Amino acid sequence: MSRLTVAAVQTSPAFGEVAANVAAALAAVPAACDLAVLPELFSTGYQFRSRDEAFQLAETLPDGPACTALRERAADSGTTLVAGLCERNGERLYNSALLARPDGSWERYRKVHLFWDEKEIFAPGDLGFAVHEACGIGVGMLICFDWIFPEAARTLALAGAVLLAHPANLVLPHCPRSMPVRCIENRVYAVTADRVGREQRTAMPLVFIGRSQVISPEGERLAGCDGEHPGVAVADIDPARTDKQITPRNHLWRDRRPDLYRL
Amino acid sequence: MSRLTVAAVQTSPAFGEVAANVAAALAAVPAACDLAVLPELFSTGYQFRSRDEAFQLAETLPDGPACTALRERAADSGTTLVAGLCERNGERLYNSALLARPDGSWERYRKVHLFWDEKEIFAPGDLGFAVHEACGIGVGMLICFDWIFPEAARTLALAGAVLLAHPANLVLPHCPRSMPVRCIENRVYAVTADRVGREQRTAMPLVFIGRSQVISPEGERLAGCDGEHPGVAVADIDPARTDKQITPRNHLWRDRRPDLYRL
């Protein structure tokens, strides 16, 4: 596995302005990048006033407008893209992520651990945690609040993920300091793409904290954005550094003792 | 459950000087403290040259000299003590922790995840991860490298631990920044008691990094020691803060999806 260039694209979407949000996000994707991650719900914005409103803004995969734009851009640029979308499937809505490869193929993840009022809008993810081959490595998708459940990243890493692609819309402060621990404990890379800006469409105003970042298997912040501005964090990654042999006598997987865990 | 005062006691033991090490550690335990944690292998030091050497310094529980001193001190002071010991059980050695209550009762944990050359000396722990009632709360014990396996702290928290008592002899830099994440993801307190100083009894010199600390369920460092000196970190804790209802709609346990985890 050779080195790859990966990016977290931090945006500031305007609620409901799908075409403009998609155009701005894709314009920010760096050229000559193997894999880029965009935020959760990157095309619509986050704070739906109702399930009906979300339903109107949702799209089907893979033929909805944002999904189509992502797939076309992946094909044109050679960059694998991961982005969060409001997915409609029949009568159900999911807080989903799309992975679009340059060859036209695509994968989907549906957020398993819904945060707060998302439970009024979305059905919980029903596809589990799968690792997808992309640009020569295993990529696992998580969305935002999934980070707090160590089982999610663990499941992906045990299944062979080299990199966690993590679209987010963070409003609490804990995730940026926690993703390095997800990387250390699983010896994987993580790319968290968050948004900035503010939404106040209900009684609870939300301020998104940005701080998108690319984290190494040793927990280093290889590249990052600030808390207030759109931006891009780009870093080269070396898949060989995700080897689980962390000392001559300690292998992160073989040292596990599932017989003693009660989970 | 009422508030408690807990302490991490950071020491600088001299290898093999059991009586002096025990005396110094117990002298450092604060008065009027409900629970105090002492480092891993607090009585012997860490770097055994051979299994035979460790065997000579090991003791049986609960009647060995360090164990007896801990139990007597707990009874005399009213402070529950947790400390790491080199345990001999027949022909086997364990990197163990003792929990000694003021009423004379005691519990034992045997380190499950052995680090590096410990595998030449100790048998891996065979008792699993158990939660013990002490000073009115559930206490779970972990030793040093156990921290890197999220399943260990998770197992204890799911079984009712309010506090993780974590004797350590840290030589790598990642643990102090990682324990706050163990606390956040499990909504528990953690008390890591590390040592300082240097041992160079084999070809590999070891420098212990100290930085003992008491961490809150929100990942705050309530109290801590530096990286070079013996010391004590004391903090008041409020067991009610370990409630798993982290938003009006998110409960850390009920939101888990074990059906989707592959561990």
Side-chain angles (χ1 to χ4, degrees):
Chain A
M1 294 185 286
S2 56
R3 294 179 69 93
L4 299 171
T5 301
V6 303
V9 177
Q10 178 164 299
T11 62
S12 185
F15 187 89
E17 303 295 334
V18 172
N21 293 338
V22 171
L26 291 181
V29 174
C33 172
D34 295 293
L35 182 144
V37 182
L38 280 59
E40 179 183 15
L41 296 167
F42 90 107
S43 54
T44 55
Y46 182 83
Q47 197 174 37
F48 303 103
R49 286 198 177 115
S50 67
R51 192 175 178 287
D52 281 350
E53 185 180 63
F55 201 87
Q56 296 305 316
L57 286 165
E59 61 181 83
T60 53
L61 271 56
D63 57 333
C67 184
T68 299
L70 290 164
R71 290 190 298 116
E72 290 179 354
R73 174 59 176 269
D76 292 346
S77 64
T79 298
T80 296
L81 296 172
V82 176
L85 293 159
C86 181
E87 180 192 1
R88 174 162 50 83
N89 186 278
E91 287 304 305
R92 291 199 162 185
L93 298 178
Y94 296 96
N95 185 338
S96 294
L98 177 86
L99 182 152
R101 298 187 191 87
D103 70 2
S105 62
W106 60 280
E107 309 288 347
R108 161 169 43 199
Y109 166 69
R110 291 168 170 165
K111 187 175 185 177
V112 165
H113 303 98
L114 298 172
F115 184 69
W116 211 316
D117 288 342
E118 293 172 28
K119 295 187 180 189
E120 282 193 5
I121 308 287
F122 301 109
D126 54 356
L127 303 175
F129 301 96
V131 176
H132 305 291
E133 182 86 4
C135 38
I137 62 171
V139 175
M141 291 184 273
L142 297 173
I143 298 178
C144 206
F145 188 57
D146 285 326
W147 74 264
I148 206 172
F149 299 87
E151 296 89 346
R154 190 62 137 193
T155 295
L156 290 170
L158 285 170
V162 160
L163 181 144
L164 306 176
H166 182 217
N169 273 194
L170 299 169
V171 293
L172 298 180
H174 298 310
C175 179
R177 69 190 281 209
S178 298
M179 290 307 289
V181 180
R182 295 283 169 264
C183 292
I184 291 167
E185 71 201 15
N186 292 301
R187 201 77 178 183
V188 295
Y189 288 92
V191 181
T192 297
D194 191 19
R195 62 165 289 184
V196 291
R198 181 184 171 93
E199 290 187 2
Q200 189 166 3
R201 309 190 68 258
T202 73
M204 185 182 292
L206 298 177
V207 177
F208 301 96
I209 67 165
R211 300 176 62 193
S212 299
Q213 54 188 6
V214 181
I215 306 291
S216 80
E218 293 85 19
E220 307 155 89
R221 193 175 201 241
L222 301 177
C225 299
D226 70 17
E228 296 180 7
H229 304 91
V232 183
V234 182
D236 284 347
I237 69 168
D238 178 2
R241 285 177 66 190
T242 63
D243 182 14
K244 309 309 176 194
Q245 192 75 47
I246 58 170
T247 80
R249 295 190 159 190
N250 291 101
H251 188 281
L252 269 187
W253 291 173
R254 289 195 288 272
D255 280 1
R256 292 177 73 238
R257 292 290 303 276
D259 56 314
L260 299 178
Y261 306 149
R262 299 285 177 270
L263 303 171
Chain B
M1 294 182 287
S2 56
R3 294 179 69 92
L4 300 171
T5 301
V6 302
V9 177
Q10 178 164 299
T11 62
S12 184
F15 186 88
E17 304 294 333
V18 171
N21 294 337
V22 171
L26 291 181
V29 174
C33 172
D34 295 293
L35 182 144
V37 183
L38 281 59
E40 179 183 15
L41 295 167
F42 90 107
S43 54
T44 55
Y46 182 82
Q47 197 174 37
F48 303 103
R49 286 198 176 115
S50 67
R51 192 175 178 288
D52 282 350
E53 185 180 63
F55 201 86
Q56 295 306 316
L57 287 164
E59 61 182 81
T60 52
L61 270 56
D63 57 334
C67 184
T68 299
L70 290 164
R71 291 189 297 115
E72 290 178 353
R73 173 60 176 268
D76 293 346
S77 65
T79 298
T80 296
L81 296 172
V82 175
L85 293 160
C86 182
E87 179 191 2
R88 175 163 50 82
N89 185 278
E91 288 303 305
R92 290 199 164 185
L93 298 178
Y94 296 96
N95 185 337
S96 294
L98 177 87
L99 182 152
R101 298 187 191 87
D103 69 2
S105 63
W106 61 280
E107 309 288 348
R108 160 169 46 199
Y109 167 68
R110 291 170 171 164
K111 187 175 184 178
V112 165
H113 303 99
L114 298 173
F115 184 68
W116 211 316
D117 288 342
E118 294 172 28
K119 295 188 179 188
E120 281 192 7
I121 308 287
F122 301 108
D126 54 355
L127 302 175
F129 300 96
V131 176
H132 305 291
E133 182 86 4
C135 39
I137 62 171
V139 174
M141 291 184 273
L142 297 173
I143 299 178
C144 205
F145 188 57
D146 284 327
W147 75 264
I148 206 172
F149 298 88
E151 296 89 345
R154 190 63 137 195
T155 295
L156 290 170
L158 285 170
V162 160
L163 182 144
L164 306 175
H166 183 216
N169 273 196
L170 299 170
V171 294
L172 298 180
H174 298 310
C175 179
R177 69 190 281 207
S178 298
M179 289 308 289
V181 180
R182 295 284 169 263
C183 292
I184 292 167
E185 71 200 16
N186 292 301
R187 201 78 178 180
V188 294
Y189 288 92
V191 181
T192 297
D194 192 18
R195 60 165 290 184
V196 291
R198 180 185 171 94
E199 289 187 2
Q200 189 165 3
R201 309 190 67 258
T202 73
M204 185 183 291
L206 298 177
V207 177
F208 301 96
I209 66 164
R211 299 176 63 192
S212 300
Q213 54 187 5
V214 181
I215 306 291
S216 81
E218 293 85 19
E220 307 156 88
R221 193 175 201 241
L222 300 177
C225 299
D226 70 16
E228 295 179 7
H229 304 91
V232 183
V234 182
D236 284 349
I237 70 167
D238 178 3
R241 284 177 66 190
T242 63
D243 182 15
K244 310 308 175 195
Q245 192 75 45
I246 59 169
T247 80
R249 296 191 157 191
N250 291 101
H251 188 281
L252 269 187
W253 290 175
R254 289 196 288 272
D255 281 0
R256 292 177 73 239
R257 292 290 303 276
D259 55 315
L260 299 177
Y261 306 149
R262 299 286 177 272
L263 303 170

